């Protein structure tokens, strides 16, 4: 039993020596780092013998190269890079235009470029190697990262209703939108000029503010309101009424006041006319009675005569 134990020990030492010879010498600094209590355990730095002796690995990662039939073409990689650039540009524009809210008027150029790049990726056009970027970039995995990134920004753009303020090709603002922006800037300039005297502000800025309201009402009727115009009008109205304590009688309120006044006095008119009609009816009923009594009195007088 002792000989077997000794032989087993010798065999173990031989196997251990072979393993060390295959692995190579260990870096003392690595061993010190591994034994440090402040660092979590990690993979030992092993010399890779089977892959051509590439040296020491500082970390593990998936291979950057795929077989040739699975690699993405240079054209698709360029589109992927452009998509990333356009995405960053649009996000930066949206964030910088959050306050004051000027998303549609500031970011329609970045959105147009971003949308164009996405259309190029998702097109069915085949490349020189009879491949499609749509297949390699959009449908190669279940995450569909490009689609989700595009959808998130598309939802923001659609919720802002920017299409109501832009031309069909998203290349420029509509003339009606530009007119509102110009009138809005004039109104704010007037506010800034007379903000030290609110009573004077209400008088001097009344015309420009009234015109701004008229433009907004026309855009609202024509379904030409995007989030920029809505937010600008809300802020301006809050400044006019709450901050400056001004008021402008709205023309559309005049018919409402007239109808309300008529409805208010309608019961009075009804009861008054009913009362006059009843008085006139009483007079008509009493008149024949008086005539009959006087006729009877004349008959009695004739009898006595």
């Amino acid at each position: 039993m002792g000989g077997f134990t000794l032989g087993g020990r010798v065999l173990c030492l031989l196997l251990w020596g072979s393993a060390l010879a295959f692995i190579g010498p260990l870096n003392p600094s690595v061993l010190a780092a591994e034994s440090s209590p402040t660092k979590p355990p990690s993979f030992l730095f092993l010399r890779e013998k089977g892959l051509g002796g590439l040296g020491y690995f500082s970390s593990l990662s998936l291979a950057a190269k795929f077989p040739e039939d699975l690699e993405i073409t240079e054209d698709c990689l360029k589109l992927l890079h452009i998509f990333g650039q356009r995405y960053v540009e649009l996000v930066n524009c949206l964030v910088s235009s959050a306050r004051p809210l000027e998303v549609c008027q500031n970011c329609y150029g970045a959105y147009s470029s971003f949308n164009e790049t996405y259309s190029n990726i998702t097109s069915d056009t085949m490349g020189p190697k009879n491949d499609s970027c749509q297949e390699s970039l959009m449908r190669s995995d279940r995450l569909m990262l490009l689609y989700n990134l595009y959808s998130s920004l598309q939802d923001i753009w659609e919720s802002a209703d920017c299409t109501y303020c832009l031309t069909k090709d998203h290349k420029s603002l509509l003339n009606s939108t530009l007119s509102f922006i110009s009138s809005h800037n004039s109104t704010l300039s007037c506010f800034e000029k007379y903000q030290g005297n609110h009573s004077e502000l209400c008088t001097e800025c009344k015309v420009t503010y009234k015109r701004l309201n008229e433009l907004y009402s026309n855009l609202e009727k024509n379904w030409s309101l995007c989030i920029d115009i809505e937010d600008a009008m809300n802020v301006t109205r809050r400044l006019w009424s709450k901050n400056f304590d001004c008021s402008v009688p709205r023309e559309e309120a005049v018919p409402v006041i007239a109808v309300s006044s008529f409805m208010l006095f309608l019961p009075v008119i009804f009861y008054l006319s009913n009362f006059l009609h009843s008085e006139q009816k009483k007079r008509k009923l009493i008149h024949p009675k008086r005539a009959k009594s006087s006729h009877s009195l004349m008959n009695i007088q004739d009898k006595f005569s």
Side-chain angles (χ1 to χ4, degrees):
M1 180 67 67
F4 177 78
T5 304
L6 180 61
R9 290 178 179 177
V10 171
L11 181 60
C12 290
L13 289 174
L14 290 175
L15 293 176
W16 178 250
S18 300
L20 289 177
F22 175 76
I23 293 174
L26 295 178
N27 193 337
S29 61
V30 174
L31 294 176
E34 292 295 330
S35 61
S36 175
T38 59
K39 292 188 62 178
S42 62
F43 292 103
L44 289 176
F45 288 19
L46 303 180
R47 182 177 297 276
E48 190 175 2
K49 295 288 186 179
L51 297 177
L54 297 180
Y56 293 96
F57 288 112
S58 60
S59 62
L60 294 178
S61 63
L62 295 175
K65 289 286 187 180
F66 291 96
E68 185 176 356
D69 57 338
L70 296 179
E71 285 189 0
I72 302 175
T73 62
E74 290 294 331
D75 293 335
C76 294
L77 286 177
K78 289 180 181 178
L79 282 177
L80 181 62
H81 180 67
I82 295 173
F83 179 87
Q85 288 180 331
R86 299 290 186 265
Y87 180 88
V88 172
E89 290 174 2
L90 181 55
V91 170
N92 288 337
C93 183
L94 293 175
V95 173
S96 61
S97 301
R99 283 283 104 193
L101 194 57
E102 298 175 348
V103 169
C104 300
Q105 56 184 310
N106 290 343
C107 303
Y108 66 87
Y111 171 79
S112 181
S113 300
F114 173 74
N115 198 45
E116 183 179 356
T117 303
Y118 184 80
S119 299
N120 292 335
I121 293 176
T122 57
S123 64
D124 296 329
T125 304
M126 305 301 291
K129 296 183 179 181
N130 199 24
D131 53 0
S132 172
C133 294
Q134 183 177 12
E135 292 292 334
S136 58
L137 297 180
M138 302 295 297
R139 302 176 181 175
S140 58
D141 55 74
R142 66 178 179 84
L143 182 59
M144 296 188 297
L145 182 61
L146 299 189
Y147 171 77
N148 289 325
L149 291 175
Y150 173 80
S151 298
S152 62
L153 294 186
Q154 186 68 17
D155 291 341
I156 295 175
W157 191 259
E158 291 178 355
S159 63
D161 292 328
C162 292
T163 53
Y164 293 143
C165 292
L166 301 173
T167 55
K168 292 182 179 180
D169 57 358
H170 286 73
K171 297 294 184 181
S172 60
L173 296 171
L174 293 173
N175 291 332
S176 57
T177 305
L178 294 174
S179 298
F180 179 86
I181 293 175
S182 177
S183 179
H184 179 259
N185 292 338
S186 300
T187 303
L188 293 184
S189 298
C190 187
F191 288 174
E192 185 177 1
K193 182 178 180 180
Y194 297 101
Q195 63 180 346
N197 190 338
H198 290 183
S199 60
E200 188 177 4
L201 184 147
C202 297
T203 303
E204 297 296 331
C205 302
K206 179 179 179 180
V207 176
T208 55
Y209 178 77
K210 185 177 180 181
R211 171 170 170 73
L212 183 66
N213 272 285
E214 292 174 353
L215 289 175
Y216 182 83
S217 299
N218 292 333
L219 293 174
E220 190 175 20
K221 292 177 183 178
N222 297 329
W223 292 89
S224 300
L225 290 179
C226 59
I227 192 62
D228 293 15
I229 295 179
E230 291 181 11
D231 186 74
M233 195 68 234
N234 290 336
V235 173
T236 306
R237 284 176 173 174
R238 187 163 59 248
L239 288 173
W240 178 262
S241 59
K242 185 177 181 180
N243 292 46
F244 304 138
D245 197 21
C246 301
S247 62
V248 174
R250 303 177 64 178
E251 294 180 358
E252 57 267 26
V254 175
V256 176
I257 295 175
V259 173
S260 301
S261 301
F262 175 77
M263 296 299 294
L264 181 64
F265 287 100
L266 187 60
V268 179
I269 297 173
F270 173 76
Y271 286 114
L272 182 60
S273 61
N274 190 24
F275 174 76
L276 295 176
H277 181 69
S278 61
E279 288 295 327
Q280 186 177 6
K281 191 174 182 180
K282 286 180 180 180
R283 291 178 182 177
K284 290 181 179 180
L285 293 174
I286 294 173
H287 182 266
K289 186 175 180 181
R290 289 181 178 178
K292 184 176 180 181
S293 60
S294 60
H295 181 68
S296 302
L297 181 60
M298 291 178 62
N299 291 335
I300 293 172
Q301 291 178 351
D302 290 341
K303 288 179 181 182
F304 283 105
S305 60

